[in-house]
Amino acid sequence: MNLLSAAIIINAILLTTIIILERKRPEKTIAWLLLIVIFPPLGLILYLFLGRNWKRHKLNEEFSPIVKDLINRVINRIDKEDYKYLAELLANNSDSPLFVDNDIEIFSNGEEKFNALFKEIERAEHHIHLEYYIVKSDDIGNRLKDLLIKKSKEGVRVRFIMDRVGAIKLSRRYIKDLRENGVDVVQYSYFLAPLLRRINTQINYRNHRKIVVIDGKVGFIGGMNIGDEYRGLGKIGEWKDLHIKVTGDFVLGLQGVFIDDYMAVKRIDDGEFFMEGEFDKYFPPSEKSKGKIMQLVKSGPNSEHPAIMQGIVKMIYMAKKKIYITTPYFVPTESVMDALKIAKLSGVDVKILFPGKYDHFLVYHASKTYLEELVRCGVDVYFYNKKAFVHSKVMTIDDSICTIGTANMDIRSFELNYEVNAVIYDKDTTLKVNDLFKKDLEESRRVDLEYFNSEPKYIKIIDGVCRIFSELL
């Protein structure tokens, strides 16, 4: 036995021991072991980058005591019987009160979202807080940069959290320009990030949140990052997405998420240091709005409870008539799959809208196997017209409750990324979302068993191989 062979064997034994001791789910453990056995050197490299938690900073998956105190000083709680059990779940697994007085505006494309965002930034008087996964120095990105610099020079405090992986292609000059003009740019990072700046890696534990808070009064949350592709001007073409603007006390929750994340990355332990004695500026009493009830759900890789996934499972089990889902990626946990199957077999109308074109090869092909499984159970699956990419992350239940946010319907969002979703207990908002869903179905193709059965053998093999490693995607 030569030295190389011995090294490979030792490597395999050590990695196998580590993986087993980490006590991951059996499916994930088996997938990693299989990868190591088939590709020993590659398995080591992939595990170091994808399997280990190399986070430099840990974001809070629950509200910190500081932020809980800040929110509770100005928030009212309400007992709503219709939502009691879901609301109780989210209160316990995500520390979220019911935010009871909100107004919501829905944006179904990038132009609408960015126009509204820039308009609100222009109105900012005290602070602008932004947190995004992807930021690009293209046309829309530069317009945002110029506007933030302008507001900073006017005396508005601008803080910008970016994920270092998501913003890996962002020019150094972009960040330098912001910082030189008073914008506080902080980057959520991971071990070895500086060495891998030029490599478009798929490192785990990413800050996938996309939120904006302006003066503590206006908030934005949804699926769109900062880049021209979200306006349909990127390589992938037309872009279908959903984002919302909120005014009301739900904004206090978004503010809490931002402040917790900001303090975690900056390693600030004292909330009063951040507040600088201006509590009322960051957490102003909300003005009377239209009374829409909302909850905020956030989770991350170290959460005691996978709050977003649990909320989705609970909502599915609550459905009596219909469940509509739009997601760009569909690699669900077993609990989500079982819940959807049970709902369909119980007579609930379950419809899923999925992209007809893809931006991630492995995830797309793995997703198809799960969708085929649901089709065999009677679920209606639609592939959107290949002229556009569907990126919305939405689920509606019985025309009465919906969830919109940053989390995809996949294991990565449920377990590996830092995410945040809004749960909206409002019939009017849910009906508007459903109207958009039905309109998209008109541009979509319903796929049946014949579609899957008629696919070439090599496609089925690709789908199957991708599914094997779906736990690692």
Side-chain angles (χ1 to χ4, degrees):
M1 181 183 297
N2 58 37
L3 290 177
L4 178 60
S5 299
I8 291 175
I9 292 174
I10 293 172
N11 160 64
I13 293 173
L14 288 175
L15 280 183
T16 299
T17 303
I18 292 171
I19 293 170
I20 291 174
L21 290 176
E22 283 187 336
R23 298 184 179 181
K24 298 178 184 289
R25 283 197 313 274
E27 314 93 87
K28 181 168 287 189
T29 299
I30 292 171
W32 277 119
L33 294 177
L34 182 60
L35 189 63
I36 291 171
V37 170
I38 298 175
F39 307 108
L42 179 62
L44 169 63
I45 295 171
L46 290 177
Y47 184 71
L48 288 175
F49 286 110
L50 297 177
R52 294 292 294 164
N53 185 343
W54 293 112
K55 300 189 302 298
R56 178 178 296 167
H57 307 300
K58 175 186 174 182
L59 301 184
N60 293 308
E61 289 111 32
E62 297 178 349
F63 285 121
S64 67
I66 292 171
V67 167
K68 278 194 287 188
D69 179 63
L70 294 175
I71 293 175
N72 290 337
R73 282 162 62 181
V74 290
I75 194 67
N76 294 317
R77 295 175 183 268
I78 187 171
D79 182 18
K80 196 72 173 176
E81 189 66 30
D82 293 346
Y83 321 135
K84 179 178 179 180
Y85 297 108
L86 176 60
E88 186 72 18
L89 169 67
L90 301 182
N92 288 327
N93 71 8
S94 197
D95 248 350
S96 178
L98 279 170
F99 299 97
V100 301
D101 195 14
N102 300 281
D103 191 20
I104 301 166
E105 185 175 353
I106 302 171
F107 309 116
S108 59
N109 62 66
E111 292 295 343
E112 291 179 352
K113 180 246 179 161
F114 290 120
N115 287 339
L117 175 62
F118 289 178
K119 184 177 181 180
E120 293 298 337
I121 289 176
E122 281 280 11
R123 293 174 174 172
E125 298 178 352
H126 183 263
H127 66 269
I128 301 166
H129 290 163
L130 308 97
E131 184 169 359
Y132 279 99
Y133 171 58
I134 293 174
V135 182
K136 294 187 176 180
S137 47
D138 50 19
D139 177 64
I140 202 70
N142 284 316
R143 285 168 55 190
L144 175 64
K145 181 188 73 171
D146 293 343
L147 183 54
L148 294 179
I149 290 173
K150 173 178 177 289
K151 297 304 293 185
S152 178
K153 289 181 176 179
E154 292 175 2
V156 176
R157 298 170 190 179
V158 184
R159 299 177 176 94
F160 202 153
I161 301 174
M162 304 176 187
D163 183 272
R164 192 178 292 272
V165 174
I168 203 166
K169 295 182 179 180
L170 188 64
S171 68
R172 294 180 184 272
R173 183 75 235 179
Y174 189 102
I175 297 176
K176 185 178 180 182
D177 286 346
L178 287 173
R179 286 175 172 164
E180 287 180 347
N181 287 279
V183 177
D184 186 3
V185 179
V186 296
Q187 291 182 287
Y188 172 72
S189 188
Y190 58 92
F191 185 68
L192 295 180
L195 302 179
L196 299 172
R197 178 177 173 82
R198 299 301 177 187
I199 303 175
N200 186 19
T201 56
Q202 293 294 313
I203 303 295
N204 288 332
Y205 312 109
R206 295 172 291 186
N207 182 7
H208 198 242
R209 294 167 181 163
K210 309 163 186 68
I211 59 176
V212 177
V213 178
I214 299 167
D215 289 343
K217 298 178 180 179
V218 180
F220 290 80
I221 181 175
M224 293 182 237
N225 289 289
I226 303 298
D228 285 339
E229 63 195 88
Y230 300 93
R231 304 161 64 201
L233 302 177
K235 293 180 180 179
I236 203 166
E238 185 181 345
W239 194 277
K240 303 287 293 185
D241 217 327
L242 211 65
H243 220 88
I244 59 173
K245 182 182 84 171
V246 184
T247 54
D249 52 19
F250 180 80
V251 181
L252 302 176
L254 290 179
Q255 185 80 293
V257 172
F258 179 89
I259 290 175
D260 263 345
D261 291 350
Y262 178 87
M263 291 194 299
V265 178
K266 296 278 282 190
R267 299 183 181 180
I268 299 172
D269 297 322
D270 185 356
E272 292 305 315
F273 173 81
F274 180 85
M275 292 299 111
E276 300 171 350
E278 297 180 291
F279 170 79
D280 289 338
K281 296 292 186 180
Y282 291 100
F283 288 86
S286 61
E287 300 174 359
K288 282 295 180 182
S289 192
K290 294 189 178 179
K292 299 182 189 302
I293 301 173
M294 304 175 67
Q295 266 182 302
L296 183 149
V297 196
K298 66 173 184 171
S299 61
N302 292 312
S303 296
E304 181 179 358
H305 307 287
I308 291 177
M309 184 199 73
Q310 289 181 347
I312 286 172
V313 170
K314 182 64 176 177
M315 289 175 69
I316 292 171
Y317 281 124
M318 288 172 60
K320 298 178 180 178
K321 297 179 180 179
K322 63 179 73 170
I323 301 168
Y324 294 163
I325 297 171
T326 305
T327 179
Y329 318 113
F330 191 77
V331 183
T333 58
E334 185 175 353
S335 58
V336 172
M337 282 292 284
D338 285 345
L340 289 171
K341 290 178 182 178
I342 291 170
K344 180 58 187 178
L345 293 173
S346 300
V348 177
D349 177 23
V350 182
K351 288 181 168 57
I352 300 175
L353 179 61
F354 187 74
K357 61 167 32 173
Y358 60 83
D359 64 342
H360 291 296
F361 178 88
L362 290 175
V363 182
Y364 173 79
H365 283 280
S367 296
K368 284 173 55 188
T369 66
Y370 292 96
L371 292 170
E372 179 181 358
E373 197 173 324
L374 291 179
V375 168
R376 292 185 181 280
C377 204
V379 171
D380 294 326
V381 173
Y382 296 82
F383 285 1
Y384 193 75
N385 192 313
K386 291 186 177 181
K387 69 179 182 181
F389 179 66
V390 176
H391 193 252
S392 303
K393 303 117 174 20
V394 184
M395 183 172 74
T396 69
I397 303 297
D398 290 345
D399 292 333
S400 59
I401 302 174
C402 64
T403 178
I404 300 170
T406 71
N408 298 305
M409 194 72 71
D410 64 6
I411 293 169
R412 173 170 294 282
S413 285
F414 294 154
E415 298 181 1
L416 299 178
N417 290 343
Y418 293 99
E419 306 280 3
V420 59
N421 275 17
V423 175
I424 305 168
Y425 303 92
D426 181 67
K427 183 174 182 179
D428 290 341
T429 302
T430 303
L431 287 173
K432 290 177 182 177
V433 174
N434 278 349
D435 285 343
L436 291 171
F437 180 85
K438 293 172 183 176
K439 185 176 179 181
D440 287 339
L441 290 190
E442 294 175 1
E443 300 291 326
S444 305
R445 170 190 179 186
R446 182 173 176 271
V447 293
D448 52 18
L449 286 180
E450 183 179 351
Y451 168 84
F452 290 105
N453 292 335
S454 63
E455 285 192 310
K457 287 290 185 183
Y458 77 92
I459 294 294
K460 291 183 178 296
I461 292 173
I462 292 173
D463 292 347
V465 171
C466 291
R467 173 155 180 161
I468 291 174
F469 297 105
S470 62
E471 284 280 334
L472 313 182
L473 298 176

